[in-house]
Amino acid sequence: MNEETSLFQKEEKYFFHTYKRLGLDIERGEGVYLYARDGKRYLDFFGGLAVNALGYNHPKVNRAIIEQVHKYIHLSNFYVQEPQVRLAERLIEASGFKRVFFSNSGTEAVEGAIKLARKWGANVGKTHLIGLTNSFHGRTMGALSLTERQKYRDGYEPFLPNVSHVGFNDVAQLRAAVNEQTLGVILEFIQGEGGVFVVSPEFAGALNELRQKLGFLIIADEIQTGIGRTGKFFAFEHFGVTPDIVLIAKAIGGGLPLGAFLGNERVADVLSYGSHGTTFGGNPVACSAGLAVLQEVLEGGLMKQAGETGDYLKKKFAELQTRFPALVKEVRGLGCMLGVELSRDGQPVVDQMQERGFLVNCTHQSVLRFLPPYIVTRTDCDSLVQELRDILGSLPQ
C-alpha cells in the first residue's frame, strides 16, 4: 500500500462522508498553482472556493501570520486586541458601515445577522425574513432556513419560523411578498453555489424602492463576492443598492477562518453587552492575515486587477459561446467570479480540465464556476481558455 492510497483510505475510514473529495493529494501551493505529491502542477481557478484571493504562499500574508503567532495566538474577547481593532478600522473605512462583529465563518456571520435583524425588528414590530429562490447562505440552521435550495434542506426540518422565499429576480413576487411586517430581505447579488446568477437592475431597483416605502432591512450576503472579487469592494456596489447589513468571510481571512457582519447606523446600537458573542471569532492571527489581504486588495491594486482580468476572461468565454452555441448556453458573472453554463452535465468537462492541469468547479450541475485568485494573469486565462476550447471542440455538438 503506497502512501497516497493509504491517505485516501484513512480519509474514507475516519471522516463522516460529507465531502466528495478530488482525487488529488496536494503537497503545496505557490501563487496560482497547486502541486500534487506526484509532482504534477495545477493552475487553480477554484481558489479554495473564493478564499485564496491572493493565491498560495503569499509572502505578506505569511509574514503577518508569523509575526502575530510570536506575540499571541489567542486571548479571548474580554481583551481589546490590536489586530482586531486595526482590521475593523480598515473594514469600516473601506465599506462605509458603522459597526463590525467578527465570526469564524460565513455561516456564523449569517447567524449573527439574523440575531441582529431580529433584535432590531423586535423594537419596531417587524418579524418576517425573506430569502430568494436558488440561494445558498450556509449550513447552520438559521442559514439553512434562509437557503431555498432543497438539496441542502432535506431532512433538517423544521426550520426557523417567519421565513419565506420569493423568486430570484421576480419583481412581481417581491412586491406581493413584502409588507409592514417584513423584517428584512437577504440576498446574494451574485448567487455563487446557485450557479453564478446575477441580480437584475430591475430587481435591485424594486428592492431599494420597497425598503424606502416599508422600512425593512436589506441584508447582503457578500461571503463569496466581497473583498474585491468583482472589481468593487462589494458586489452590491454594481447595482446602486446600499444594504443595512453585509456579510463577509472567505477572502477576508487570507486562508484562515474568519468572517464578519457589518451594520449601518440603523442597526449600529441594537446589540448590547452580552447579547452576542464568540470564543474564537476575530482570532488575532486570522485578523492579522486579513489586514494583509486588505492592504494588497485595496492599496496593492488587486481589486482593480480582479475586475480587469475578470472582464478579459469573460470576453474570452463569450467567444467560446459564439464558437460553440450548442454547448455554451450562457456566460455570467462579474470580475473574478464567472460562470459558464453548458447545455449538458459540467462535471465531465471539469474532470478533463483536471487531467490537463486546470482546476475548476462545477455547480448547479451544468455551470462551470471560476473563482481564481486575484493575482491570475491574462496569460493564465489564455491557457485555461485554450484547454476549454479543445475540450468543447471534442464534444458532440
Side-chain angles (χ1 to χ4, degrees):
M1 181 185 298
N2 62 43
E3 183 180 350
E4 184 172 334
T5 302
S6 175
L7 185 69
F8 282 95
Q9 287 183 341
K10 287 179 179 179
E11 190 275 340
E12 178 76 12
K13 179 179 179 180
Y14 296 128
F15 286 80
F16 283 105
H17 298 162
T18 56
Y19 300 113
K20 188 177 181 181
R21 310 280 194 179
L22 297 176
L24 300 175
D25 182 6
I26 300 299
E27 186 173 42
R28 65 185 180 91
E30 188 72 38
V32 295
Y33 291 99
L34 287 173
Y35 295 82
R37 198 171 300 278
D38 62 8
K40 187 170 181 178
R41 186 179 77 166
Y42 296 87
L43 184 54
D44 183 19
F45 275 75
F46 204 128
L49 280 178
V51 169
N52 299 319
L54 273 57
Y56 299 93
N57 202 25
H58 193 281
K60 292 185 179 179
V61 174
N62 290 358
R63 190 179 310 120
I65 290 170
I66 292 167
E67 288 177 358
Q68 182 56 43
V69 162
H70 286 294
K71 295 176 183 177
Y72 53 86
I73 295 174
H74 175 80
L75 295 177
S76 81
N77 283 311
F78 278 105
Y79 297 90
V80 174
Q81 300 168 57
E82 182 182 3
Q84 283 187 358
V85 174
R86 291 179 63 201
L87 181 58
E89 181 180 37
R90 196 69 189 89
L91 278 171
I92 295 300
E93 288 173 351
S95 68
F97 284 81
K98 192 80 173 176
R99 296 275 192 272
V100 63
F101 181 96
F102 289 120
S103 64
N104 300 286
S105 66
T107 198
E108 285 185 28
V110 175
E111 298 292 333
I114 293 172
K115 290 177 68 177
L116 176 62
R118 289 280 201 216
K119 204 160 183 67
W120 175 84
N123 296 323
V124 294
K126 295 180 181 294
T127 58
H128 197 86
L129 283 167
I130 295 175
L132 304 187
T133 60
N134 200 47
S135 59
F136 180 80
H137 298 292
R139 308 265 185 181
T140 49
M141 289 306 295
L144 273 181
S145 299
L146 296 170
T147 295
E148 184 270 343
R149 297 184 70 192
Q150 200 59 39
K151 71 180 235 180
Y152 299 111
R153 293 164 60 95
D154 280 347
Y156 296 114
E157 302 86 352
F159 296 105
L160 292 184
N162 297 317
V163 175
S164 62
H165 301 88
V166 300
F168 182 75
N169 280 338
D170 192 323
V171 174
Q173 277 195 26
L174 177 67
R175 290 189 183 279
V178 296
N179 55 43
E180 294 291 345
Q181 280 70 53
T182 302
L183 168 59
V185 176
I186 184 169
L187 72 160
E188 306 155 271
F189 280 81
I190 306 176
Q191 292 187 328
E193 186 70 15
V196 197
F197 287 97
V198 182
V199 161
S200 69
E202 294 77 15
F203 191 89
L207 187 62
N208 243 347
E209 170 206 327
L210 291 165
R211 173 179 56 178
Q212 186 171 1
K213 177 182 177 182
L214 296 169
F216 55 76
L217 301 172
I218 295 177
I219 305 169
D221 183 338
E222 293 273 353
I223 291 166
Q224 196 165 136
T225 50
I227 321 299
R229 177 161 293 278
T230 66
K232 293 183 182 293
F233 197 65
F234 291 125
F236 63 73
E237 296 175 46
H238 294 276
F239 302 91
V241 177
T242 301
D244 302 285
I245 301 171
V246 63
L247 317 173
I248 59 173
K250 292 193 180 284
I252 187 59
L256 296 181
L258 184 63
F261 61 88
L262 299 96
N264 66 9
E265 62 282 347
R266 295 181 71 194
V267 296
D269 298 320
V270 170
L271 297 178
S272 56
Y273 295 116
S275 61
H276 192 51
T278 173
T279 297
F280 292 108
N283 172 271
V285 181
C287 285
S288 296
L291 192 60
V293 169
L294 282 191
Q295 287 170 342
E296 288 299 292
V297 168
L298 296 172
E299 282 106 50
L302 282 184
M303 182 166 69
K304 183 173 182 287
Q305 182 175 326
E308 292 174 350
T309 306
D311 289 345
Y312 176 80
L313 183 56
K314 188 177 182 181
K315 179 182 176 183
K316 292 296 181 181
F317 287 153
E319 291 172 2
L320 291 181
Q321 183 181 15
T322 301
R323 184 166 177 173
F324 304 104
L327 295 175
V328 180
K329 290 177 62 177
E330 190 175 16
V331 176
R332 306 187 281 268
L334 293 169
C336 283
M337 183 174 178
L338 298 175
V340 175
E341 183 171 0
L342 304 179
S343 59
R344 61 189 64 199
D345 185 5
Q347 192 58 48
V349 175
V350 168
D351 294 341
Q352 288 191 58
M353 290 293 289
Q354 181 178 315
E355 291 173 6
R356 294 169 181 239
F358 293 83
L359 300 177
V360 301
N361 173 240
C362 179
T363 189
H364 208 60
Q365 190 170 351
S366 60
V367 179
L368 308 181
R369 179 170 48 163
F370 301 87
L371 299 163
Y374 305 174
I375 60 173
V376 73
T377 66
R378 293 190 178 197
T379 301
D380 297 327
C381 293
D382 288 340
S383 299
L384 172 103
V385 171
Q386 179 61 55
E387 296 298 334
L388 183 56
R389 183 187 299 116
D390 290 348
I391 291 169
L392 293 176
S394 70
L395 299 176
Q397 303 294 304

